[in-house]
Amino acid sequence: MADISESRIDGLRPVELYFRVIRDISNGSAAFLHTQTRLNAPSLGVLYPEQFRDVAEITFQCVELFWLELEQAMDAVQQFEKRELNFQWISVYMPVRVLREVGIEHDLMERFAEMGVASNRICFELSEKLLEETDGLAAGSIRNLRNRGFHFMLSGFGGNNCPMMRLAEFSVDYVMLSPEVAYFIDRSKRADEAVKSIIGFVTDLEAIPIADGVQNSHQAGTLLNFECRFCAGSLAGEYMQERHMRH
């Protein structure tokens, strides 16, 4: 991993958030903004999450990276509000290690107070690694932070290696389905029933499903019929830099 700091390299932030819209299928409006972090490394070029997340999460660098991402997201909230962009929240990837940090609730509330951003404008995105947690510490942090107004979204749910039943232990607000789920729409009647069952499973646990990897309006219509109201993917819009985000 390259050193992570806020000093600019050739005019670029070493850590930069890109944004894409999560749309309400029922009316096409922008509901939420989902971020993707990219690292601009002088010797390696642009690194995408799949190239650095696992390495970062083995070390303390994932915590440092989280705070840099969060600061950019909070700044983006303020910038987008000035541009009168309509959205409920912006996501920020949160490593499970952060949920296990002593004093994380206090540290987050202090940072949000300093920035003047409401806690409900941020949704912390958690990977399926959350489902490997068994001692209750991460689950307790989620409950406490939700009581403070923060949102939580589990991503990658329903993929081949996802332990679905573990979701019952974690009170998240949203569940972003793996793109594999949208891929199976219309493959067969049994595949459609499986997709519908996954959506129903999430809903029954009082979380809101968001379909990722949605490519066309037919998939979106099927998802809406299955009571999945929100989608991300090429149909909803690609990732772009903050300065390009407009109405």
Side-chain angles (χ1 to χ4, degrees), residues 193-212:
E193 286 300 320
V195 172
K196 186 176 181 180
S197 294
I198 291 172
I199 292 169
F201 178 76
V202 170
T203 303
D204 288 345
L205 290 178
E206 298 183 348
I208 297 173
I210 299 172
D212 196 4

Side-chain angles (χ1 to χ4, degrees), residues 16-34:
E16 186 168 14
L17 293 186
Y18 281 65
F19 303 82
R20 67 171 178 173
V21 172
I22 295 173
R23 295 198 181 276
D24 185 330
I25 299 172
S26 66
N27 57 29
S29 65
F32 319 112
L33 297 179
H34 183 238

